[in-house]
Amino acid sequence: MTSLLERAAGPILDDADLSLMLTIRAFELKLLDLFGEGRLNGTTHTCLGQEYVPVALEPLLGPADHVFSNHRGHGHYLARFRDPHGLLAEIMGREGAICHGVGGSQHIRRERYLSTGVQGESLPVAAGVALRLRRAEPGALACVYIGDGTFGEGAVYEALNLIALWRLPVMVVVEHNGIAQSTPTTAHMAGTIAGRAAAFGIAHERVEGFDLPAIRRRLAPLIARVREGVPLVVEFATHRLGPHSKGDDTRSAQAVQEARDADWLERCRAARPEHVGRLEREAREHVDAVAEEVAARPPSRWVRA
Ligand SMILES: Cc1ncc(C[n+]2csc(CCOP(=O)(O)OP(=O)(O)O)c2C)c(N)n1
Ligand SMILES: [Mg+2]
């Protein structure tokens, strides 16, 4: 039986996973600093607190799989490509930007990765891509990240209907952080995500906590079934640590504190303060060096081919 202390401290994670999660954390904090200094344009939505979700899924996905991301997508991109230089250059509009600086934080396309800031837009697109995959590249899937609030979009249900009816290889990953911008889930969602998936006969799995090896063991056979045309909704019960975007946190101090108490990093630090502290420093130094190098680059130029 695990002791109270062990449970408060959280699971022991692999260094490679931890370093990737910490790099995403450091990247997001750096972005908020750069915005604060007036050095970035546009907007940003950080995934602070949710970093472990794409890191958990990353080894379960392959290069033939498509990933559809949303407005809160930096972690999704970094977990897939480990490319903080390209992403920061994209957000800063510098040479080496993934999309020549035209897409910015929310609109990125690279190989089989596409993000959009338009809520609910990606699910119908993913359904179409999955139809093509089923016919032309059996075994590949489309993974779509959406938030709980995005379940308020009608397009989500049109897509779920076809995904179920046509047995499309789609995995919908719901990052359920309990809030949509400023509206708590309790004030915007009737019923549950599980109930909504069930209405279409789609399998649903709810994931709590951040024990990455355990999550992977549980999801691996379900994702193998997705590849055979049995779609899946995976709901991660997670926490948004930061504001919705920048400086627009409308939550009560108590709600923010609850998110902090649940933070995977706090719990990992508690388990191994020195070890995690060292990895944290390394990640911060790495991201600082990336930012310095990218900020010194000339502006990116969009040259039509
Ligand atoms: C079609 C559309 N409507 C509204 C918005 C503005 N908007 C951006 S994020 C957001 C809330 C999304 O909440 P959720 O899906 O829970 O994702 P989270 O921000 O919590 O990660 C809203 C309303 C938008 N981008 N697109
Ligand atoms: Mg949300």
Side-chain angles (χ1 to χ4, degrees), residues 45-46 50 70-72 106 116-121 146-153 174-183 185 188 240 243-244:
H45 306 81
T46 69
Q50 304 179 189
N70 60 2
H71 59 297
R72 207 175 290 291
Q106 299 184 81
T116 175
V118 182
Q119 304 309 313
E121 181 195 10
I146 63 172
D148 47 283
T150 303
F151 268 82
E153 290 289 339
V174 186
E175 292 176 299
H176 190 166
N177 57 16
I179 191 162
Q181 197 147 355
S182 54
T183 312
T185 313
H188 72 65
R240 194 190 82 194
H244 169 68

Side-chain angles (χ1 to χ4, degrees), residues 10-44:
I12 301 287
L13 299 181
D14 182 62
D15 276 6
D17 286 334
L18 210 40
S19 289
L20 183 53
M21 288 153 68
L22 289 166
T23 300
I24 300 171
R25 172 72 54 108
F27 187 92
E28 298 293 53
L29 291 172
K30 188 74 184 173
L31 279 189
L32 291 179
D33 284 350
L34 291 170
F35 264 106
E37 292 164 12
R39 294 170 69 196
L40 299 184
N41 298 315
T43 188
T44 194

